[in-house]
Amino acid sequence: MNPALEELMALRDADSITEAIEIEGEDPVLSTRFKIGESAAAVHAAIGIAVNDLYEMRTGKRQDLAIKVSHAAASLRSYHYMKVAGDQGKIFAAQRARQRISTPHPTKDGRYFLPHMGMPHLAQRVLGVLGCEYELDAVVAAVANWNALELEEAIAEVRGCGAMVRSAQEWASHPHGKALAEKPVVEIIKIEDSDPEPMPELKSPRPLAGLRVLDLTRILAGPTCARTLAEHGADVLMVTAPHLPQSEYFVMDTSHGKRTCYLDLEDDVQCNRLLELVKEADVFSQGYRPGTLSKRGLSPEQLADIRPGIIYTSMNCYGYEGPFKDRAGWEQLAQTVTGIAHEHGLDRPTLLPAAACDYTTGYLAAYGTLLALALRARVGGSYHVRASLCQSGMFIHRQARVDYPTEGMEIDSRDLGEILSVTTTPYGEMSHLGPVLQMSVTQPGWDFPSVPLGTHKPAWLARA
């Protein structure tokens, strides 16, 4: 068992593993010294083990598992492989422009700083501090006029997103890095007692059939968590509102297997409808800034009172304790502060060739949710599952390194062909990655295509 999988198994309060687990291949798959493929393969294998725990409760049996390291690496950049007939790259064009700006740039004091322009309203906050236009050369010149730490604080003050590049050693000695180092990579916290809830007896053979998941997340970790639960049969209802900023490209990538509805939490009637859905839910997954949902009666403790036995899953960038806990963040910032960008770059700090922190966090949150569901089935209780991009970055950093032969490495198209699917969607014919975990009896898959936001009514499906 590799060290990453051993670390994840330490979180599992269950008997020893009896199923066969095949992890095929090794890093490097992409051009980085970090073992992101092997780390991701370990997380996918852990998910399979946790799914088996629930499957065994229903059937008394377990399934054999298999995952290729190359497929696991591909799952950390699944948007890269998504194509929609007739699009010709138009949907992703704006995202690519933001990515060129949201990279580390040199500062006046000889350090590097990453200003994040992930969403237009957040970009305007950063640009307001920098005093420049939304254009690459202008941003680079403006960043060069600041000391890195002063710019980080100024952007945090206006609730924008940006971070000074730190080495792993600097992060380990930082108060926030120290706070995270004391926590497991996924936290499973009991909120309150409730009666055990055995897995429902249904006709469907799928491991998570009959479980209901509310998905109140956006870009990329949170939606990936719920998409993972959907691929094992859960009824996932994604809840958003028309006014909330989104990235259509990432919505398309992470909405397979889900239904999606609009509910505006600022409207009392619509918020009450969400609370009615909570009463019949098993999982409430959210990615809001800490404290945001508490103001609307949607904190972990409040929902555990409304629905004893709820699994409340939270994801953010910086975690839940420490001086940065209230800051918003993204994939690039997690790589920036935890030392990944510092080490990955050659002549200057550089981001990984994959959204490793985002997708890994989504998969880790799904793993924690599955473990919490098993705890609920065995001993009862409501649970709060917490994952963060920075914890995922630190998890990746803890693994060994590997040399890679060349820049620009890609996964062989013949290998990718094993997991590529073509689906008819409202967007058109979509080519995309399917689930990468292989299970010997109930092969993961999605029951619904990716659809535009707000397509469905805010209601649960009948339990099959």
Side-chain angles (χ1 to χ4, degrees), residues 25-46:
E26 60 184 9
D27 282 309
V29 176
L30 300 171
S31 297
T32 176
R33 296 184 64 245
F34 290 98
K35 288 190 171 185
I36 58 174
E38 292 180 46
S39 300
V43 179
H44 285 290

Side-chain angles (χ1 to χ4, degrees), residues 315-330:
M315 286 150 281
N316 68 10
C317 180
Y318 291 104
Y320 305 88
E321 297 176 19
F324 289 178
K325 66 181 178 64
D326 294 324
R327 294 186 181 184
W330 303 76

Side-chain angles (χ1 to χ4, degrees), residues 145-162:
N145 289 325
W146 285 79
N147 290 327
L149 190 57
E150 292 174 358
L151 181 55
E152 182 177 85
E153 294 298 329
I155 288 177
E157 185 69 23
V158 299
R159 294 173 63 82
C161 296

Side-chain angles (χ1 to χ4, degrees), residues 303-318:
L303 293 198
D305 287 338
I306 294 169
R307 199 297 192 200
I310 194 75
I311 309 301
Y312 192 108
T313 301
S314 298
M315 286 150 281
N316 68 10
C317 180
Y318 291 104

Side-chain angles (χ1 to χ4, degrees), residues 13 53 74 77 124 140 148 167-168 171 177 203 209 259 312 369 380 442 459:
D13 181 22
D53 290 342
R77 59 205 304 249
Q124 289 307 311
V140 171
S167 68
W171 183 242
K203 294 179 181 178
R259 296 176 303 115
Y312 192 108
T369 300
T442 61

Side-chain angles (χ1 to χ4, degrees), residues 183-189 312-315 319-321 365 384-388 391:
K183 303 292 182 180
V185 67
V186 181
E187 298 176 76
I188 303 172
I189 303 164
Y312 192 108
T313 301
S314 298
M315 286 150 281
Y320 305 88
E321 297 176 19
H384 190 187
V385 176
R386 306 198 304 194
S388 71
Q391 276 284 19

